């Protein structure tokens, strides 16, 4: 299975996921251990299925949006599988979801690494609205005043820009917002307008992700599809009022600054409910393991005390 951990160690460290039982491979062979999903894991898998069914339209829209932002409206299947956890796609999305929505998706190419592609069949105008445009529309509806779509630019506390940089940011923000779903084949790759569009694509990608953050190496896999420059990661430090670059765990991760208050995610993706429930499942097993170890320690302590009492009585005799 190419696991980078011993199965026995994994099971011991995560009790509650599997049950171990003994059976024979052949009628007269010795008993050997087998694994099966625990009832709690089965319950979680049913809950996961429910959550995906309730949010199927959200998953479909995310997949469409990724394709709609791409240059040729097609992305390698391998790349999409690689980012399924970042965007909350189910493990079987290529097998079940894609064929079910054949009006949106079409698989092309041949089986094999880097040779299969997912292609957009139909352009849905409702999906072609970025998070920034949706917020501007909602604010316009509430205030009755036309709100111009633009980025929420907020520097962290204690962070100041030099005058020249402040003026550059001000002028850059004054440029018209360019939707990540807009055709920009006419723009010069080195132009300020193209940079504004690139920032818009990153903003939209992070907004679509579950945790509003994605490792930079993963974003780099889509350089060709989204027309990123080779030095695309400098965007996150140059626009520090929009993004935050985390180096936690030694991995560069781009985060959407407006999505967090301190370290807390403000607007949670509905699909994160699955992660919360899986954490509950793991923590329940860890708690049971801790209680079992506590009882074992107490029993060992009692046994040692009884042994000491017995030895003392024998010595007195």
């Amino acid at each position: 299975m190419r696991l980078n951990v011993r199965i026995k160690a994994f099971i011991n460290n995560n009790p509650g996921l599997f049950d171990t039982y003994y059976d024979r491979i052949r009628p007269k062979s010795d008993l050997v251990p087998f694994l099966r999903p625990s009832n709690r894991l089965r319950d979680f898998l049913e809950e996961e299925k429910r959550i995906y069914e309730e949010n199927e339209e959200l998953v479909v829209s995310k997949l469409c949006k990724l394709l709609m932002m791409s240059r040729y409206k097609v992305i390698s299947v391998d790349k999409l599988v690689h980012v399924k956890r970042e965007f909350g796609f189910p493990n079987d999305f290529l097998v079940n979801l894609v064929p079910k929505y054949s009006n949106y998706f079409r698989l092309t190419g041949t089986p094999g690494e880097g040779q299969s592609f997912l292609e957009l069949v139909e352009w849905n105008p409702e999906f072609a609205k970025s998070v920034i445009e949706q917020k501007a529309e909602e604010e316009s509806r509430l205030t009755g005043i036309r709100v111009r779509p633009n980025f929420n630019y907020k520097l962290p506390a204690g962070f100041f820009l030099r005058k020249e940089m402040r003026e550059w940011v001000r002028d850059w923000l004054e440029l018209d917002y360019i939707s990540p779903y807009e055709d920009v084949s006419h723009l010069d790759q080195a132009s300020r307008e193209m940079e504004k569009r690139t920032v818009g694509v990153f903003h939209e990608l992070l907004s679509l992700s579950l945790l509003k953050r994605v490792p930079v190496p993963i974003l780099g896999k889509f350089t060709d599809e989204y027309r990123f420059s080779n030095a695309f990661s400098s965007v996150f430090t140059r626009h520090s009022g929009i993004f935050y670059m985390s180096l936690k765990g030694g991995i560069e991760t781009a985060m959407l600054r407006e999505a967090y208050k301190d370290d807390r995610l403000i607007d949670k993706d509905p699909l994160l409910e699955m992660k919360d429930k899986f954490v509950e499942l793991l923590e329940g097993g860890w708690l049971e393991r801790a209680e079992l170890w506590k009882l074992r320690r107490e029993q060992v302590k009692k046994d040692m005390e009884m042994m000491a009492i017995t030895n003392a009585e024998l010595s007195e005799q």
Side-chain angles (χ1 to χ4, degrees):
M1 295 177 69
R2 298 181 182 179
L3 299 176
N4 58 359
V5 65
R6 289 183 177 274
I7 294 178
K8 188 174 181 180
F10 177 82
I11 294 170
N12 290 337
N13 290 333
N14 298 279
L17 294 181
F18 300 98
D19 293 332
T20 304
Y21 68 100
Y22 289 83
D23 203 348
R24 292 180 172 86
I25 297 177
R26 292 185 298 273
K28 294 183 179 181
S29 63
D30 295 334
L31 292 173
V32 294
F34 284 83
L35 288 179
R36 62 188 170 201
S38 67
N39 289 334
R40 282 183 293 182
L41 180 55
R42 291 176 187 273
D43 290 341
F44 166 77
L45 293 174
E46 285 298 318
E47 192 71 4
E48 180 186 53
K49 182 180 177 183
R50 177 192 65 79
I51 294 170
Y52 270 128
E53 288 175 351
E54 289 180 356
N55 293 280
E56 189 169 279
E57 290 184 6
L58 173 62
V59 174
V60 170
S61 70
K62 283 188 179 188
L63 196 53
C64 280
K65 284 171 176 284
L66 292 184
L67 293 169
M68 290 166 69
M69 282 189 286
S70 66
R71 185 189 297 191
Y72 300 116
K73 319 309 174 205
V74 59
I75 296 178
S76 165
V77 164
D78 291 337
K79 294 182 180 181
L80 291 172
V81 170
H82 194 74
V83 299
K84 64 183 180 182
R85 288 185 178 85
E86 274 69 30
F87 294 97
F89 301 150
N91 291 325
D92 60 355
F93 77 98
L94 289 171
V95 177
N96 292 327
L97 199 67
V98 168
K100 183 177 179 180
Y101 290 89
S102 57
N103 57 314
Y104 285 134
F105 311 116
R106 177 169 53 234
L107 281 169
T108 61
T110 58
E113 188 174 348
Q115 298 181 33
S116 297
F117 301 88
L118 187 64
E119 181 182 345
L120 183 73
V121 174
E122 178 184 327
W123 181 278
N124 187 334
E126 287 301 312
F127 294 160
K129 291 181 182 178
S130 68
V131 170
I132 287 178
E133 290 172 312
Q134 291 174 20
K135 288 181 178 178
E137 287 183 2
E138 179 64 14
E139 193 172 343
S140 297
R141 186 184 65 80
L142 293 174
T143 61
I145 302 172
R146 182 182 177 278
V147 176
R148 179 170 169 258
N150 214 335
F151 300 102
N152 182 3
Y153 203 96
K154 184 179 180 182
L155 292 170
F159 190 93
F160 298 97
L161 296 176
R162 296 194 309 271
K163 180 181 178 182
E164 297 82 3
M165 191 61 184
R166 288 201 307 271
E167 291 176 351
W168 183 90
V169 169
R170 180 199 62 202
D171 293 343
W172 185 83
L173 287 173
E174 283 300 314
L175 293 173
D176 288 338
Y177 172 78
I178 300 176
S179 170
Y181 302 102
E182 187 176 328
D183 180 16
V184 292
S185 56
H186 61 285
L187 291 181
D188 182 352
Q189 188 72 22
S191 65
R192 291 197 306 166
E193 289 78 10
M194 190 61 184
E195 179 169 359
K196 188 141 192 180
R197 191 263 178 178
T198 299
V199 172
V201 172
F202 282 129
H203 187 285
E204 187 74 353
L205 287 173
L206 296 179
S207 297
L208 293 174
S209 69
L210 289 181
L211 295 171
K212 317 307 176 194
R213 65 177 187 233
V214 178
V216 171
I218 289 180
L219 292 171
K221 291 180 180 294
F222 296 90
T223 299
D224 293 335
E225 287 82 357
Y226 297 129
R227 296 185 66 186
F228 298 151
S229 69
N230 292 331
F232 74 89
S233 61
S234 63
V235 165
F236 303 121
T237 52
R238 190 162 59 253
H239 296 279
S240 53
I242 301 172
F243 306 111
Y244 170 72
M245 181 77 85
S246 169
L247 299 176
K248 189 175 181 180
I251 301 175
E252 289 187 334
T253 300
M255 303 175 63
L256 196 57
R257 189 175 290 281
E258 67 192 50
Y260 285 83
K261 183 176 183 181
D262 299 324
D263 293 332
R264 183 175 58 86
L265 185 61
I266 299 172
D267 187 16
K268 281 194 171 186
D269 191 294
L271 293 168
L272 276 178
E273 184 183 352
M274 278 183 297
K275 180 184 176 183
D276 295 339
K277 289 188 177 296
F278 189 66
V279 170
E280 289 177 10
L281 173 62
L282 292 178
E283 289 178 341
W286 297 337
L287 182 61
E288 287 185 7
R289 182 184 60 182
E291 289 293 328
L292 181 60
W293 284 354
K294 180 181 177 182
L295 291 174
R296 286 178 178 174
R297 287 194 298 268
E298 291 175 351
Q299 187 61 48
V300 169
K301 183 179 179 181
K302 288 179 181 178
D303 291 344
M304 293 181 68
E305 289 174 351
M306 289 298 297
M307 188 180 297
I309 293 173
T310 302
N311 289 337
E313 291 176 347
L314 292 173
S315 298
E316 290 176 359
Q317 294 177 1

